Amino acid sequence: MTDGVNTPEERPSEAFRGPVVLRREQKAGPGSTTDQRLLDSRGPTDWVHTDPWRVLRIQAEFVEGFGALAEVPRAVTVFGSARTPRESAEYAAGLEIGAKLAQSGFAAITGGGPGAMEAVNRGASEAGGLSIGLGIELPFEQGLNPWVDLGVNFRYFFARKTMFIKYSQAFICLPGGFGTLDELFEALTLVQTKKVTKFPVVLFGSDYWGGLYSWIRDTVLGGGKVGEADVDLLYLTDDVDDAVKVVLEAYKAWEDTH
């Protein structure tokens, strides 16, 4: 040992996995190389489930998503429950929202599933607009609804969420469950922290969303957990034309600053 630095004779033995250096007990593991395990189809398949391999899958999802959506014109993401019945008023509202967005020159993006998502995709497609579905791999069979014109399926929620945000100019939330709530509050957080700008979040259906809106205004704001401007990020309405008007005004404001 000289001045605290190992001499060559004292250097511990090491092994390499690409750029990763392994010494001492960390050397334990398969003696084969990564490319050997890749090319040897007779070996175990556990390697396809390791974290480094997942990184490549994640990268591939972003590449596929960016590639598929890069040419999409201005768009609005509409969330809502997969359990919405076709004969319900909520489904009819989804049809109208999809159609009005298409007529206003916006592509309609949904999670690609049934229920409210199907209604929006159907409304947009039947009105001659671009209908987009971003699906997710789930433990139960779902698949993209038949009114999706451009669809991408994802393994990872976070990759899918990035596409919703990156390629949308607004969110409209129809009545929905945990998935809709998840996307709603993620969008609010990103707008509040100015990670995205000029991004209206519309809650459609005062009977459904009114309690949540009142709780945010009275309890969350009342307790000093958010500011007045944060509550103003939400727009509650029961009128389709009003919802689309909010989207159009926000998009025009964004255009004027860019």
Side-chain angles (χ1 to χ4, degrees), residues 74-78 97 100-102 104-107 168-173 198-203 235 237 239-255:
R74 59 185 188 171
V76 174
T77 293
V78 186
I97 288 171
K100 290 288 178 65
L101 288 174
S104 300
F106 287 93
S168 296
Q169 276 70 52
F171 276 1
I172 298 176
C173 295
K198 303 297 182 186
F199 197 104
V201 180
V202 178
L203 299 178
Y235 189 86
T237 185
D239 185 81
V240 172
D241 289 330
D242 190 31
V244 175
K245 180 183 176 184
V246 170
V247 171
L248 286 168
E249 289 177 348
Y251 185 77
K252 184 179 185 304
W254 180 86
E255 279 190 317

Side-chain angles (χ1 to χ4, degrees), residues 10-87:
E10 295 172 313
R11 186 183 185 90
S13 63
E14 52 193 23
F16 297 90
R17 291 182 188 164
V20 179
V21 180
L22 303 171
R23 293 174 176 167
R24 303 179 184 89
E25 66 272 10
Q26 295 299 318
K27 285 179 61 181
S32 60
T33 64
T34 301
D35 53 358
Q36 180 183 346
R37 293 193 299 276
L38 173 65
L39 296 172
D40 187 0
S41 60
R42 296 167 297 173
T45 60
D46 291 348
W47 63 276
V48 302
H49 303 296
T50 61
D51 286 341
W53 183 249
R54 289 192 184 99
V55 170
L56 295 179
R57 281 182 169 168
I58 292 166
Q59 180 182 16
E61 290 212 342
F62 280 108
V63 171
E64 289 291 341
F66 292 151
L69 302 173
E71 303 298 325
V72 168
R74 59 185 188 171
V76 174
T77 293
V78 186
F79 292 106
S81 176
R83 304 181 184 188
T84 301
R86 287 180 175 171
E87 63 276 10

Side-chain angles (χ1 to χ4, degrees), residues 149-190:
D149 301 320
L150 172 61
V152 183
N153 277 307
F154 291 88
R155 283 190 176 93
Y156 300 101
F157 272 108
F158 53 83
R160 180 182 184 236
K161 287 180 177 181
T162 300
M163 304 304 153
F164 283 137
I165 292 288
K166 180 173 175 58
Y167 294 103
S168 296
Q169 276 70 52
F171 276 1
I172 298 176
C173 295
L174 289 162
F178 288 159
T180 300
L181 290 168
D182 176 43
E183 298 291 354
L184 165 62
F185 282 104
E186 177 148 5
L188 288 174
T189 301
L190 291 173

Side-chain angles (χ1 to χ4, degrees), residues 87-169:
E87 63 276 10
S88 68
E90 291 171 9
Y91 190 94
L95 286 171
E96 189 177 357
I97 288 171
K100 290 288 178 65
L101 288 174
Q103 291 160 6
S104 300
F106 287 93
I109 303 176
T110 78
M117 294 174 281
E118 175 190 284
V120 174
N121 286 134
R122 179 178 178 179
S125 182
E126 291 181 343
L130 178 57
S131 172
I132 300 170
L134 306 182
I136 186 70
E137 182 180 285
L138 295 171
F140 44 87
E141 187 63 34
Q142 182 166 297
L144 296 175
N145 68 68
W147 282 279
V148 169
D149 301 320
L150 172 61
V152 183
N153 277 307
F154 291 88
R155 283 190 176 93
Y156 300 101
F157 272 108
F158 53 83
R160 180 182 184 236
K161 287 180 177 181
T162 300
M163 304 304 153
F164 283 137
I165 292 288
K166 180 173 175 58
Y167 294 103
S168 296
Q169 276 70 52

